[in-house]
Amino acid sequence: MGLITGLILGVLVGIGLMAGWHQMIKARARKRVAKAADIKLLGTLNREDLKKLCGDNYPEWVSFPVFEQVKWLNKQLAKLWPFIADAATMVIKESVEPLLEEYRPPGITALKFSKLSLGNVAPKIEGIRVQSLNKGQITMDIDFRWGGDPNIILGVEALVASLPIQLKDLQVFTVVRVIFQLAEEIPCISAVVVALLSDPKPRIDYTLKAVGGSLTAIPGLSDMIDDTVNTIINDMLQWPQRIVVPIGGIPVDTSELELKPQGMLSVTVMKATALKNKEMIGKSDPYAVVYIRPKFKVKTKVVDNNLNPEWNETFEVIAEDKETQFLTVEVFDKDIGQDKRLGIAKLPLNDLQPETSKEVELRLLPSHDMLKVKDKKDRGTVTIKVFYHQFSKEEQLSALEEEKRILEERRKLKEAGVIGSTLDAVDGAASLVTSGVGLVGTGIGAGIGAGAGLVGSGLGTVSTGLSKAGKFMGKTITGNFSSKRSGTSTPVTQENGS
């Protein structure tokens, strides 16, 4: 009897355990399904939705990656890099050397590659983001990193010495924007636009080492090379600047892809105060340089022996992208040989209201890149008055068509010896008498106020006196300003019959 009772109880207990286990498994499955549904729902929420749900308890570690990883692409790039590096070396040398010549600073007479090798370490693509921002286009942003082992030696010639300079420990961090213009015919892409995004700002780190000499042999050489690199990036590659490459072998209208001028900025450089003295005897002789794009610099007269100069000169410069560009004002000390920078200030154009005059006092900084500056002492201030005029379609087209001719005229000024480089700022002595909206020179009064307004409907320069170019050529010099790749205004030349 006891045996049978024990067997029955054992069977009942076993059945009960199995039933309990089954119910527990079903309950866990229901919870997993419910949790998966919740997670799927959370996956559809964006950052703003989560902030509304969590309120002040929103976790900072939650991120929304916008770049997709492409490990497969990096593996293929590493295999192909020896071949890419060899091909790219010739392309870089042929394309960059003319830029080095065009953008070389005034203190350097020649700047070119003595040796160029991209090394064995391939770049790394951290991620790619694909967007469709405009109809008929595909926009691809590439997070590009390169900490390579290139062998780059620059041959630097100056008035005082010639010196080979090696760029070591080169590192590049930037986001490259590639825009594909779609077409209905094979290969389905009619043009490609390439640029470096300004946010995050492109970063190129390196150290300079003199080969068989000392960097001190050419005073200020490191700063001049840094400025040259930054200028080429800002003026040629950084958005909104861009390179447009037609492809496919068929005629393509790329005018819609090219950068167009948006408006004119009238700038009155009023005064500077409490400038830092750079002279051993006496005081500095300051002048100001104004530009949006470095290719189109203009400058004020020199005020001798004065740390609180007043200029009250008005210039007008072209803006191409008000949202991303900024006005730069640099103050220099006129000196024998290389002029010394007293300070630099920047004003974002996005801070300006169209058709509204604004007076601004800007604090002068020692350099474009404050991370590389040890001396962070106060450099004084510069006061300017600005007025932004939005272009009409006719003014925009006029500017777009004329700028290419202006750049050619600046090259002629360089060949004539009027300016040492196409990046030299042009003052009243080298300015060319013209008509239209452009550089308004000394004695004209300004683009701001009742005295002048924006002079004319074209794009040109107005200044006093005869230009150096006019004296050189023995003819009256006039011209109009405008652009194909628009930028800040600059004097141009056009010969008229005597």
Side-chain angles (χ1 to χ4, degrees):
M1 187 70 181
L3 178 61
I4 295 174
T5 302
L7 287 173
I8 293 173
L9 289 176
V11 170
L12 292 175
V13 170
I15 293 173
L17 290 173
M18 291 178 64
W21 175 258
H22 179 67
Q23 290 297 324
M24 183 181 69
I25 293 299
K26 287 180 64 176
R28 290 179 62 183
R30 287 194 297 270
K31 289 181 180 179
R32 282 199 299 268
V33 171
K35 189 174 182 179
D38 292 340
I39 292 175
K40 184 177 180 180
L41 179 61
L42 286 174
T44 64
L45 302 178
N46 58 29
R47 188 187 302 270
E48 297 304 318
D49 293 332
L50 284 178
K51 285 185 176 180
K52 290 178 181 178
L53 288 175
C54 300
D56 296 336
N57 297 320
Y58 176 75
E60 294 295 332
W61 50 263
V62 174
S63 64
F64 292 81
V66 294
F67 287 86
E68 297 182 15
Q69 293 187 352
V70 285
K71 294 181 179 180
W72 63 270
L73 184 57
N74 287 317
K75 290 179 181 179
Q76 300 305 316
L77 184 59
K79 294 178 181 178
L80 294 172
W81 179 246
F83 307 98
I84 296 174
D86 289 341
T89 296
M90 294 302 298
V91 174
I92 291 173
K93 192 166 186 178
E94 292 175 359
S95 59
V96 174
E97 275 196 343
L99 293 178
L100 292 176
E101 171 61 24
E102 184 176 357
Y103 285 85
R104 64 175 172 80
I108 295 177
T109 58
L111 184 63
K112 59 184 179 180
F113 291 111
S114 296
K115 190 171 184 179
L116 176 61
S117 172
L118 298 183
N120 300 316
V121 179
K124 185 178 180 181
I125 297 176
E126 291 291 327
I128 293 178
R129 174 178 59 190
V130 179
Q131 308 175 81
S132 295
L133 300 179
N134 296 313
K135 185 178 180 180
Q137 293 181 354
I138 294 178
T139 300
M140 182 183 297
D141 295 336
I142 304 171
D143 189 354
F144 182 89
R145 312 285 177 92
W146 187 37
D149 58 342
N151 187 5
I152 303 175
I153 298 179
L154 293 173
V156 181
E157 296 181 13
L159 296 175
V160 294
S162 297
L163 195 64
I165 301 296
Q166 184 178 15
L167 273 69
K168 300 186 64 179
D169 304 324
L170 180 64
Q171 293 184 325
V172 180
F173 306 90
T174 187
V175 176
V176 182
R177 169 158 288 182
V178 183
I179 301 176
F180 299 95
Q181 180 69 33
L182 304 181
E184 295 180 353
E185 300 179 14
I186 293 176
C188 301
I189 298 175
S190 60
V192 177
V193 180
V194 181
L196 306 182
L197 292 188
S198 57
D199 185 20
K201 183 178 175 61
R203 208 180 99 204
I204 300 180
D205 297 331
Y206 53 84
T207 56
L208 299 177
K209 179 183 178 182
V211 180
S214 172
L215 289 175
T216 57
I218 304 178
L221 178 60
S222 295
D223 290 339
M224 285 190 283
I225 292 179
D226 288 345
D227 287 345
T228 301
V229 172
N230 288 329
T231 298
I232 291 175
I233 292 173
N234 293 337
D235 199 47
M236 292 292 295
L237 296 174
Q238 185 170 313
W239 190 267
Q241 313 303 329
R242 76 281 305 266
I243 297 174
V244 181
V245 183
I247 62 175
I250 56 176
V252 174
D253 180 13
T254 60
S255 59
E256 292 300 319
L257 300 176
E258 294 175 350
L259 187 61
K260 299 180 179 65
Q262 288 186 352
M264 177 73 71
L265 183 66
S266 180
V267 184
T268 300
V269 185
M270 302 174 67
K271 63 181 180 179
T273 56
L275 296 177
K276 184 176 180 180
N277 192 12
K278 291 281 188 176
E279 299 293 336
M280 297 290 291
I281 301 175
K283 298 178 181 178
S284 295
D285 307 317
Y287 66 91
V289 174
V290 178
Y291 61 93
I292 292 178
R293 288 184 59 191
K295 271 190 178 181
F296 301 95
K297 295 179 180 178
V298 289
K299 66 181 179 181
T300 67
K301 64 186 177 183
V302 177
V303 178
D304 295 330
N305 199 38
N306 196 329
L307 298 181
N308 298 282
E310 294 186 6
W311 295 289
N312 292 313
E313 295 185 47
T314 300
F315 309 96
E316 288 172 344
V317 291
I318 297 295
E320 297 154 324
D321 191 329
K322 185 173 177 288
E323 301 301 318
T324 61
Q325 289 182 317
F326 49 81
L327 174 72
T328 300
V329 182
E330 293 184 88
V331 180
F332 289 89
D333 173 22
K334 184 68 177 177
D335 208 344
I336 299 174
Q338 182 69 26
D339 295 348
K340 302 170 186 174
R341 180 191 286 159
L342 300 178
I344 180 172
K346 295 181 179 181
L347 176 67
L349 301 187
N350 199 32
D351 294 347
L352 305 179
Q353 295 295 326
E355 314 302 332
T356 303
S357 177
K358 181 178 182 180
E359 184 173 320
V360 186
E361 184 179 49
L362 302 173
R363 178 174 172 265
L364 291 170
L365 302 174
S367 173
H368 289 277
D369 189 356
M370 291 297 293
L371 296 176
K372 297 181 179 180
V373 176
K374 295 180 180 179
D375 180 11
K376 301 185 184 293
K377 294 181 181 178
D378 188 26
R379 301 298 177 103
T381 62
V382 60
T383 302
I384 60 175
K385 185 182 291 184
V386 292
F387 180 90
Y388 181 74
H389 167 68
Q390 190 78 23
F391 275 154
S392 65
K393 187 174 182 180
E394 291 76 15
E395 291 172 327
Q396 185 184 65
L397 292 175
S398 176
L400 190 63
E401 290 300 323
E402 289 292 330
E403 187 189 37
K404 188 175 182 180
R405 184 176 63 82
I406 292 169
L407 295 176
E408 181 62 29
E409 295 297 340
R410 281 185 70 90
R411 294 188 184 97
K412 291 181 180 179
L413 288 177
K414 177 185 175 183
E415 293 172 359
V418 179
I419 56 178
S421 166
T422 53
L423 289 185
D424 282 359
V426 182
D427 58 10
S431 296
L432 310 175
V433 180
T434 65
S435 62
V437 180
L439 166 62
V440 181
T442 310
I444 297 299
I448 303 173
L454 297 176
V455 182
S457 61
L459 299 164
T461 60
V462 180
S463 64
T464 60
L466 293 175
S467 69
K468 291 182 182 177
K471 294 177 182 178
F472 179 84
M473 301 177 69
K475 298 181 181 180
T476 302
I477 306 295
T478 61
N480 293 319
F481 177 84
S482 70
S483 68
K484 181 161 185 180
R485 282 186 61 195
S486 57
T488 58
S489 87
T490 182
V492 294
T493 62
Q494 178 181 335
E495 298 181 12
N496 290 342
S498 306

